[in-house]
């Protein structure tokens, strides 16, 4: 248990995809002012920190993750003054603000790249990864981008290839170049000086590559059912020899300022992902843990194993974190189905560690269905893998019944996930049994119960379909029982226990008067031990 827990250990982090939260300017795209006017909602919900996906100017090759200026706000989202006003509104309510930092690549329209591509004489040429053609005019090596197709594009001038781990509009910066590293540290200082509480670092594990840029080996297990980006083993194109040095370098800037946090996107097998905490915890405070996004079946034993394995791998003293998804994954409600959504949300909010929440999950929003051919905005990933269109989970937040669910006065940039007024904040606030009120009750319970926010974790014996665990704390322990099966289950509970919350609503909250409780299919409950 942390002796003096930091804010980022106790609180729920809420991710907002800015263009989809609330449009106040009337252009169909969400903006910073829209987030500011919803600060009361965020406080009401009980979250402790907001993580904003990129807010910087971007030509949108990858919808904000291709940045053309790190030091200001995209005019579609507002101005730096709007940013300051948002930050102040959140801080007044005790809510922290975390920005997305994208240090691996810029936009191809960033002035650094424009200057770099003018040729080898340019002082910025070495800021990106330029190489001559391979044999027969082929790309310099066999690396593939995450969006399919070669990770190299040829441009003339300078008549050479540049590396891009994602879209061709996202050239990779050359992190071997100390000037690049210093420039990115200065970007961090700019925002930290302005008062942001930390960063979520995009694709942190990609910054370091094999210095010789050797070919990647072919993945012997690849088949057509797997995404194209798994065709090669990414042995040389990422998690290279200096990956941890670069993580420490970013962290050193975070540590120049009091009480800030560094969250890192590290999509690697768990053992390698947790290594980004650093041997002496001098790297990332919270390298994202994607284990729950990879669950195939959502069976109790599978989840128990995932939790045990992650807890086992964490370096001593490292603080865990969990998420069910983010802007890159299908919605949790679509992955587990409406019957099990509350159970999955209860899992996220009761495991030991900082939960990262994805906006809209508190309404039980599901994936949108739209036809790519009718879309004006396309996810670059969908161009090569239409079935992996990430926009299905980036749809406008649904505030109230009526036109465009109160998101915008004009047609939003993306269609809504659902036209049903039941999937709006307004309707769900009025309904005691809604997903929203359930989530809010759970978040507030978590805030006032040390066992849930910072307590220890211990798995408990349970019937086969049930995942049970205890969160321990000197001020009182709680038990969490999660029935992932489609049948009733009877579980034993201590007689003096008290039901704190159930996914099955108020009627399930009667104090247990026997040492056995019958759980409904897919019910989850939290019990106080005294
Ligand atoms: C990870 C981000 O989460 C994703 O949305 C983006 O496409 C890539 N990094 C590239 O920046």
């Amino acid at each position: 248990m942390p002796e003096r827990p930091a804010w980022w250990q106790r609180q729920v982090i809420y991710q907002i995809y800015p263009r989809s939260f609330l449009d106040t300017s009337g252009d169909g795209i969400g903006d910073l002012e829209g987030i500011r006017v919803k600060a009361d909602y965020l406080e009401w919900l009980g979250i402790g920190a907001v993580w904003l996906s990129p807010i910087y100017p971007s030509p949108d090759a990858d919808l904000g993750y291709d940045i053309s200026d790190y030091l200001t706000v995209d005019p579609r989202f507002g101005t730096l003054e709007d940013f300051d006003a948002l930050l102040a509104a959140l801080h007044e309510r005790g809510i922290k603000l975390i920005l997305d930092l994208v240090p691996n690549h810029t936009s191809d329209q960033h002035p650094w790249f424009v200057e770099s591509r003018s040729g080898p004489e340019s002082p910025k040429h070495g800021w990106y990864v330029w190489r001559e053609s391979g044999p027969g005019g082929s790309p310099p090596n066999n690396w593939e981008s995450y969006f399919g197709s070669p990770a190299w594009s040829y441009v003339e001038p300078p008549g050479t290839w540049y590396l891009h781990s994602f879209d061709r509009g996202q050239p990779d910066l050359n992190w071997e170049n100390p000037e690049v590293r210093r420039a990115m540290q200065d970007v961090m200082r700019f925002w930290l000086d302005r008062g942001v509480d930390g960063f979520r670092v995009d694709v942190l594990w990609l910054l370091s590559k094999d210095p010789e840029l050797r070919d990647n080996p072919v993945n012997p297990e690849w088949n057509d059912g797997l995404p194209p980006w798994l065709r090669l083993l990414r042995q040389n194109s990422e998690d290279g020899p200096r990956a941890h040095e670069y993580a420490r370098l970013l962290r050193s800037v975070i540590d120049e300022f009091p009480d800030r946090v560094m969250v890192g996107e590290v999509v690697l097998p768990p053992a390698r992902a947790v290594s980004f905490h650093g041997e002496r915890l001098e790297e990332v405070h919270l390298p994202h843990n994607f284990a729950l996004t990879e669950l195939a079946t959502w069976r109790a034993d599978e989840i128990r194993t995932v939790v045990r394995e992650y807890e086992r791998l964490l370096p001593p003293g490292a603080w865990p974190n969990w998420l069910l998804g983010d802007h890159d994954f299908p919605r949790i409600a679509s992955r587990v189905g409406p019957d099990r959504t509350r159970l999955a949300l209860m899992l996220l909010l009761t495991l030991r560690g900082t939960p990262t929440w994805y906006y809209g999950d508190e309404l039980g929003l599901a994936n949108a269905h739209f036809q790519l051919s009718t879309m004006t905005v396309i996810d670059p990933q969908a161009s090569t893998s239409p079935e992996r269109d990430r926009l299905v989970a980036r749809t406008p937040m649904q505030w109230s019944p009526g036109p465009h669910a109160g998101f915008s006065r004009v047609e939003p940039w993306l269609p809504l996930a659902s036209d049903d007024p039941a999937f709006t904040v307004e309707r769900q606030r009025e309904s005691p049994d809604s997903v929203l009120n359930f989530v809010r009750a759970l978040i507030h319970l978590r805030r006032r119960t040390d066992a849930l926010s910072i307590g220890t974790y211990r798995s408990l014996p349970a019937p086969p379909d049930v995942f049970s665990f205890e969160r321990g704390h000197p001020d009182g322990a709680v038990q969490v029982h999660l029935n992932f099966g489609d049948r009733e289950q009877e579980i034993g509970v201590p007689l003096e226990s008290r039901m704190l919350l159930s996914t099955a609503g108020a009627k399930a909250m009667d104090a247990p008067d026997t040492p056995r409780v019958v759980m409904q299919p897919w019910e989850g409950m939290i019990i106080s031990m005294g």
Side-chain angles (χ1 to χ4, degrees):
M1 214 150 38
E3 259 175 42
R4 295 207 328 270
W7 61 266
W8 49 267
Q9 293 178 300
R10 281 186 171 276
Q11 304 290 346
V12 176
I13 300 176
Y14 183 98
Q15 183 192 357
I16 291 180
Y17 195 65
R19 72 184 65 207
S20 291
F21 206 56
L22 180 70
D23 167 26
T24 59
S25 65
D27 61 358
I29 293 178
D31 41 53
L32 297 186
E33 175 62 6
I35 302 171
R36 190 189 69 77
V37 301
K38 291 298 180 187
D40 283 340
Y41 168 74
L42 300 169
E43 185 182 26
W44 173 84
L45 192 55
I47 59 106
V50 168
W51 151 30
L52 295 182
S53 278
I55 56 169
Y56 322 98
S58 163
D60 277 352
D62 187 15
L63 296 166
Y65 284 90
D66 49 317
I67 295 167
S68 54
D69 184 351
Y70 286 97
L71 303 182
T72 190
V73 173
D74 191 309
R76 292 169 298 176
F77 295 150
T79 61
L80 276 174
E81 288 67 44
D82 294 330
F83 174 82
D84 291 339
L86 167 62
L87 186 62
L90 293 176
H91 281 175
E92 272 163 28
R93 292 162 177 80
I95 301 173
K96 306 282 186 178
L97 181 61
I98 298 170
L99 289 186
D100 224 306
L101 178 78
V102 187
N104 179 67
H105 43 267
T106 66
S107 159
D108 62 350
Q109 292 174 41
H110 194 293
W112 296 343
F113 186 74
V114 174
E115 205 180 324
S116 180
R117 65 170 284 183
S118 69
E121 299 76 36
S122 147
K124 293 273 186 322
H125 194 65
W127 281 42
Y128 293 83
V129 186
W130 295 99
R131 287 293 182 281
E132 302 297 329
S133 305
S138 61
N141 68 18
N142 75 346
W143 295 359
E144 287 181 351
S145 97
Y146 270 91
F147 296 149
S149 71
W152 297 91
S153 286
Y154 182 80
V155 281
E156 205 157 357
T160 47
W161 301 76
Y162 68 89
L163 177 68
H164 51 87
S165 299
F166 294 90
D167 188 79
R168 57 175 298 145
Q170 295 168 286
D172 280 35
L173 283 159
N174 176 17
W175 267 74
E176 300 284 308
N177 184 329
E179 290 175 18
V180 167
R181 303 198 291 268
R182 278 197 293 274
M184 206 49 71
Q185 289 183 299
D186 285 343
V187 167
M188 295 173 80
R189 290 187 188 105
F190 173 86
W191 292 103
L192 292 165
D193 274 333
R194 248 191 144 84
V196 307
D197 299 287
F199 292 101
R200 170 266 188 188
V201 182
D202 189 69
V203 294
L204 174 66
W205 82 107
L206 254 63
L207 299 183
S208 169
K209 285 116 181 155
D210 173 35
E212 293 170 44
L213 306 186
R214 282 170 291 194
D215 275 357
N216 276 328
V218 170
N219 178 359
E221 283 167 22
W222 190 79
N223 60 57
D224 287 350
L226 291 175
W229 62 82
L230 297 181
R231 204 178 67 77
L232 300 175
L233 295 174
R234 297 176 164 265
Q235 192 171 293
N236 293 320
S237 52
E238 55 192 50
D239 197 15
R242 302 180 74 177
H244 293 277
E245 175 191 335
Y246 297 157
R248 285 193 293 274
L249 189 121
L250 298 177
R251 169 66 182 271
S252 69
V253 182
I254 294 279
D255 289 346
E256 289 169 16
F257 298 78
D259 218 16
R260 313 293 162 107
V261 72
M262 178 162 151
V263 180
E265 186 194 24
V266 184
V267 189
L268 286 172
R272 278 158 72 203
V274 298
S275 73
F276 278 83
H277 283 279
E279 276 168 22
R280 294 180 313 286
L281 306 183
E282 76 287 32
E283 297 182 23
V284 189
H285 293 110
L286 300 171
H288 268 162
N289 164 16
F290 290 96
L292 296 178
T293 66
E294 278 153 24
L295 284 180
T297 60
W298 288 85
R299 285 202 333 262
D301 56 347
E302 192 192 10
I303 297 168
R304 186 183 297 108
T305 307
V306 160
V307 176
R308 184 178 53 224
E309 193 52 14
Y310 175 63
E311 286 274 354
R312 186 181 71 77
L313 290 169
L314 274 179
W319 187 246
N321 64 93
W322 296 95
L323 52 78
L324 294 170
D326 63 18
H327 62 293
D328 292 332
F329 294 89
R331 287 266 180 198
I332 185 63
S334 297
R335 298 204 324 265
V336 298
D339 292 336
R340 293 191 296 180
T341 302
R342 289 177 199 226
L343 189 60
L345 301 178
M346 184 177 267
L347 172 73
L348 175 69
L349 290 168
T350 53
L351 285 172
R352 186 177 87 99
T354 304
T356 306
W357 193 267
Y358 189 52
Y359 83 98
D361 281 352
E362 67 270 32
L363 301 175
L365 274 190
N367 290 339
H369 297 282
F370 26 68
Q371 286 195 310
L372 276 183
S373 55
T374 62
M375 304 293 288
T376 48
V377 182
I378 304 272
D379 171 18
Q381 182 163 290
S383 328
T384 46
S385 306
E387 71 291 358
R388 295 197 168 79
D389 185 359
R390 297 172 299 177
L391 299 189
V392 299
R394 298 183 187 177
T395 58
M397 182 65 177
Q398 307 196 175
W399 296 104
S400 53
H404 316 304
F407 165 77
S408 175
R409 353 186 238 284
V410 301
E411 195 69 26
W413 75 284
L414 269 189
L416 300 178
S418 165
D419 290 329
D420 183 347
F423 285 99
T424 59
V425 170
E426 191 180 308
R427 281 289 162 83
Q428 293 203 17
R429 273 181 89 143
E430 292 160 358
S431 155
D433 271 344
S434 64
V435 180
L436 179 61
N437 276 318
F438 163 73
V439 167
R440 177 171 183 257
L442 182 42
I443 292 179
H444 283 276
L445 175 64
R446 196 179 182 283
R447 283 178 80 111
R448 61 175 185 267
T449 312
D450 281 346
L452 278 175
S453 55
I454 52 166
T456 54
Y457 165 85
R458 180 167 69 96
S459 164
L460 296 173
D465 282 342
V466 179
F467 175 32
S468 297
F469 54 92
E470 182 187 89
R471 300 293 312 282
H473 191 273
D475 291 349
V478 300
Q479 284 188 355
V480 181
H481 302 279
L482 305 167
N483 179 8
F484 283 92
D486 57 5
R487 280 176 307 188
E488 286 185 353
Q489 294 284 349
E490 211 180 65
I491 54 148
V493 295
L495 249 186
E496 67 280 14
S497 59
R498 201 160 45 89
M499 178 80 84
L500 295 175
L501 190 66
S502 162
T503 57
K507 64 182 180 312
M509 299 282 293
D510 304 337
D513 51 7
T514 72
R516 308 209 65 77
V517 170
V518 176
M519 296 184 75
Q520 301 304 306
W522 306 302
E523 181 181 350
M525 59 193 204
I526 304 173
I527 289 176
S528 151
M529 305 311 294

